[in-house]
Amino acid sequence: MANTIRIAVILVLALLAVGCGPSGRQKISEIPLTDSEQHKGELLARIEKDYGDAESHYRLGRIYHADGLWHKAESEFHVALGFDPVHWPSEAAIVRTLQDAGDKSRSRLAAEQAMNRAGFSAASSLLLGKGFQRELMDDYAVACYRQALDLAPNSAALNKQVGYYYLSKGKRDLAEEFLRRSFQIDPYQPEVAGELGRLGVVVKIPRKTTRTNTKKLDKLLEEPKKK
């Protein structure tokens, strides 16, 4: 019986030795990947196949940012912009990265430059604003939305976006103001009517189901599909 137990112990030790390296540690290939590590590996593989994939560089930069690797994150965002000069999420991410790295002066300068570049169109200002909103930089997000509204005050989609923004911040009066304006411009928006109803505003959706003069900005409010 004792011999049997001794043999079993030896076999277990032998199996453990096979599964470990010379130092007795688990092989790298056998260590489970975290979601971040796995995603990073997938992005690096995609970049290796197509180095000009701006979205992959941007997402890799976000992982580096989450890990506190400020310089690597900023570098990836700049690479993304090199291949896609109007990748506004990367512009906003650079501003946030510089701020988190403690370089507030460069962060402010980067924000000003990004807003100036986006100032040529309402669509670009809108997308930059959404980028800042994603980075939880509310002052810059609002400034971009205001900039977009100055360029396209009669855009139902833009007024709706601003209304939803204020709604997410609990600013009901401002949310109502912009959602009302959006609905006045385009009354064929049941989702906006629903939000106004929850805010205590009584509205009626016209029976006519066809919409005219659809705004091009509507498409920009849809999140880009992940590749």
Side-chain angles (χ1 to χ4, degrees), residues 87-108:
H87 196 275
W88 301 113
S90 289
E91 291 275 18
I94 288 172
V95 176
R96 178 58 189 269
T97 300
L98 291 171
Q99 176 178 286
D100 289 350
D103 198 338
K104 295 183 178 180
S105 59
R106 281 188 65 206
S107 178
R108 285 193 296 269

Side-chain angles (χ1 to χ4, degrees), residues 21-70:
S23 62
R25 292 175 296 182
Q26 190 177 11
K27 291 181 180 179
I28 293 176
S29 61
E30 295 174 353
I31 299 175
L33 294 173
T34 64
D35 291 341
S36 176
E37 289 170 335
Q38 184 172 5
H39 192 198
K40 186 190 300 182
E42 293 171 354
L43 291 171
L44 288 170
R46 291 182 60 178
I47 290 172
E48 185 175 356
K49 291 182 180 179
D50 179 10
Y51 192 74
D53 185 348
E55 183 67 16
S56 290
H57 284 288
Y58 164 68
R59 295 189 185 188
L60 182 60
R62 287 185 66 84
I63 291 177
Y64 288 142
H65 179 277
D67 291 340
L69 303 173
W70 314 125

Side-chain angles (χ1 to χ4, degrees), residues 88 114-116 118-130 132 140-162 178 181 185 217 220-221:
W88 301 113
M115 290 179 64
N116 286 336
F120 71 92
S121 79
S124 295
S125 298
L126 167 64
L127 291 176
L128 180 58
K130 291 184 72 176
F132 281 128
Y140 290 136
V142 170
C144 286
Y145 291 147
R146 294 288 183 178
Q147 180 171 276
L149 284 168
D150 287 342
L151 295 167
N154 295 321
S155 166
L158 183 52
N159 278 281
K160 178 174 70 173
Q161 169 67 20
V162 177
F178 287 98
R181 191 177 303 165
I185 297 169
L217 282 174
L220 295 174
L221 294 173

